[in-house]
Amino acid sequence: MLVTGRELLLDAQKKGYAVGAFNVNNMEIVQAIIEAAEETNSPVILQASQGGIKYAGIEYIAALGKVAAEKAKVPVALHLDHGTDFDQVMLCIRHGFTSVMIDGSRFPLEENIAYTKKVVEVAKAVGVSVEAELGKIGGTEDHITVDERDATFTDPDEAVRFVNETDIDFLAVAVGTAHGVYKGEPKLDFDRIKTISDMVKIPLVLHGSSGVPAEALKKAISLGICKINIDTDLRIAFTEGVKNFLKENPDNIDPRKILAPAKAMMKERIKEKMEVFGSVNKA
Ligand code: 13P
C-alpha cells in the first residue's frame, strides 16, 4: 500500500529501526526492492533521484512506483531524492509522490530555511512529507557533486533552528558519509548524530550509506537515524548479476534472461540491508 514517508519514519523512530530508501531507475529495480520488502515483511521507500527522473522520465518513474506500492503487501512510500527546486517538487506531488526531499544545502542557512519553508507549506497542505538537508554531504549522487573540501558537517544548533523554522518531517544530516564508492572506510561522527537527534526530535536521514559497515549503520540507527539511503551498493549488485550471466552465456540476446539474475542479486543485497536496518517484520 502507498503511504507517506512521515508515517513510515515515525514508526521507525518509535521502535528504533530504520527504513531503507532505495533508488529506482527501471522496472526491474522497483520489483527487486518490492520483492525484498515483501519477503522480509519490511516497510520500504522507493526513491527517484535526479538521474533516475532524467533516465526514465517522471511519468514512468511515478507510474512504476505507484503500481508497485499499490500492489505491495507492505507499506511503501514514493519519495523524491534531492529535489532541486520548487517546481520539480510540485511536479512530483502532482504525479503522486507521497514524500519529497528539497535539497537547499548549497545555500547559506537563511536561504535554505526560506527555500525549504516554501515547499513545506504546500506539501503539508496536501499531506506529502518533506525531507531537507543541512550541512553538505560529499560525493556524487547522479548529477550532483559536492567536493570533499566543500562537505561540511551538520551543526546541531543550526539544525534546531532549521527544523523549528521550516517544520520539515525529517532531516538529512552530514555526519561523515558521502555518496558513491568510498576510498577508505567512512568514519561516522556518532556523537553528532546523538546530539542532533536529542535536540531536534524528528527522524534523521543518512545519505551515502553504501559501503558503510553494518555495525556502524546499526549504531547510527540506535542514535536516531530512521531512514537509510542506498544506491551505489544496488548498482554494484545489479551490474555483477549482468556481468556474471553474460560471462557464462555470451551468446544470449534475451534482455529478460540477462536482467533476471541482476534483479535477483539486487534483491538479495536489499534483504541483507533490511536485516541490518532492523526493518524486518516491521511492516
Ligand atoms: P549511495 O549511492 O552512496 O548509497 O548514496 C545514496 C543516497 O544517499 C541517495 O540520496
Side-chain angles (χ1 to χ4, degrees), residues 23 47 81-82 141 178-180 207-210 229-232:
N23 286 81
Q47 61 183 13
D81 190 25
H82 293 283
E141 173 60 20
H179 296 112
H207 283 243
S209 308
S210 292
N229 288 9
I230 300 277
D231 188 3
T232 302

Side-chain angles (χ1 to χ4, degrees), residues 199-275:
M199 286 167 74
V200 304
K201 311 278 190 247
I202 63 170
L204 301 182
V205 181
L206 192 66
H207 283 243
S209 308
S210 292
V212 178
E215 287 316 309
L217 291 177
K218 285 184 184 168
K219 189 164 175 192
I221 294 166
S222 76
L223 299 172
I225 295 291
C226 303
K227 172 175 180 271
I228 298 197
N229 288 9
I230 300 277
D231 188 3
T232 302
D233 276 350
L234 303 196
R235 295 181 187 198
I236 293 171
F238 198 86
T239 307
E240 259 173 36
V242 171
K243 279 187 187 162
N244 291 346
F245 180 82
L246 286 176
K247 205 166 150 204
E248 282 161 28
N249 307 276
D251 299 325
N252 196 293
I253 51 118
D254 185 343
R256 295 167 299 186
K257 296 243 161 56
I258 298 168
L259 295 182
K263 183 177 135 181
M265 290 277 279
M266 189 181 245
K267 180 165 89 175
E268 285 316 305
R269 198 65 49 89
I270 296 167
K271 285 166 78 172
E272 288 162 21
K273 299 284 178 197
M274 287 170 163
E275 293 279 350

Side-chain angles (χ1 to χ4, degrees), residues 2-273:
L2 183 62
V3 300
T4 65
R6 179 182 152 84
E7 204 175 315
L8 294 186
L9 296 199
L10 287 183
D11 189 70
Q13 189 181 39
K14 198 164 74 191
K15 297 182 185 153
Y17 66 96
V19 180
F22 302 99
N23 286 81
V24 297
N25 301 291
N26 65 16
M27 184 187 75
E28 285 75 11
I29 297 176
V30 170
Q31 289 175 336
I33 298 167
I34 296 295
E35 284 173 24
E38 287 186 332
E39 286 172 26
T40 59
N41 196 29
S42 287
V44 75
I45 297 173
L46 300 174
Q47 61 183 13
S49 69
Q50 297 307 311
I53 291 172
K54 198 161 177 225
Y55 172 75
I58 182 83
E59 294 85 357
Y60 277 89
I61 284 283
L64 280 170
K66 278 190 291 184
V67 167
E70 277 154 16
K71 270 193 74 189
K73 296 183 196 80
V74 294
V76 180
L78 181 57
H79 178 79
L80 167 67
D81 190 25
H82 293 283
T84 50
D85 57 66
F86 183 82
D87 290 3
Q88 184 184 49
V89 168
M90 294 307 109
L91 196 65
C92 286
I93 292 177
R94 192 166 173 204
H95 278 92
F97 281 57
T98 56
S99 181
V100 291
M101 176 181 186
I102 181 73
D103 182 358
S105 61
R106 62 193 178 280
F107 297 128
L109 182 63
E110 298 288 339
E111 263 179 80
N112 192 357
I113 289 175
Y115 189 70
T116 304
K117 219 170 147 175
K118 195 171 156 197
V119 165
V120 172
E121 277 170 13
V122 183
K124 283 251 155 113
V126 289
V128 169
S129 323
V130 181
E131 170 182 340
E133 178 176 322
L134 191 65
K136 281 201 196 92
I137 297 160
T140 300
E141 173 60 20
D142 281 330
H143 305 292
I144 304 169
T145 298
V146 175
D147 195 290
E148 294 304 323
R149 284 164 306 189
D150 294 331
T152 42
F153 283 12
T154 308
D155 177 85
D157 293 317
E158 284 188 4
V160 172
R161 183 172 162 214
F162 186 75
V163 169
N164 285 343
E165 292 191 24
T166 58
D167 198 24
I168 52 167
D169 297 294
F170 26 103
L171 178 70
V173 286
V175 289
T177 55
H179 296 112
V181 179
Y182 289 100
K183 290 189 194 88
E185 192 172 301
K187 295 261 171 298
L188 269 65
D189 187 342
F190 295 110
D191 291 342
R192 189 175 298 265
I193 298 175
K194 176 155 178 32
T195 308
I196 299 170
S197 175
D198 287 346
M199 286 167 74
V200 304
K201 311 278 190 247
I202 63 170
L204 301 182
V205 181
L206 192 66
H207 283 243
S209 308
S210 292
V212 178
E215 287 316 309
L217 291 177
K218 285 184 184 168
K219 189 164 175 192
I221 294 166
S222 76
L223 299 172
I225 295 291
C226 303
K227 172 175 180 271
I228 298 197
N229 288 9
I230 300 277
D231 188 3
T232 302
D233 276 350
L234 303 196
R235 295 181 187 198
I236 293 171
F238 198 86
T239 307
E240 259 173 36
V242 171
K243 279 187 187 162
N244 291 346
F245 180 82
L246 286 176
K247 205 166 150 204
E248 282 161 28
N249 307 276
D251 299 325
N252 196 293
I253 51 118
D254 185 343
R256 295 167 299 186
K257 296 243 161 56
I258 298 168
L259 295 182
K263 183 177 135 181
M265 290 277 279
M266 189 181 245
K267 180 165 89 175
E268 285 316 305
R269 198 65 49 89
I270 296 167
K271 285 166 78 172
E272 288 162 21
K273 299 284 178 197

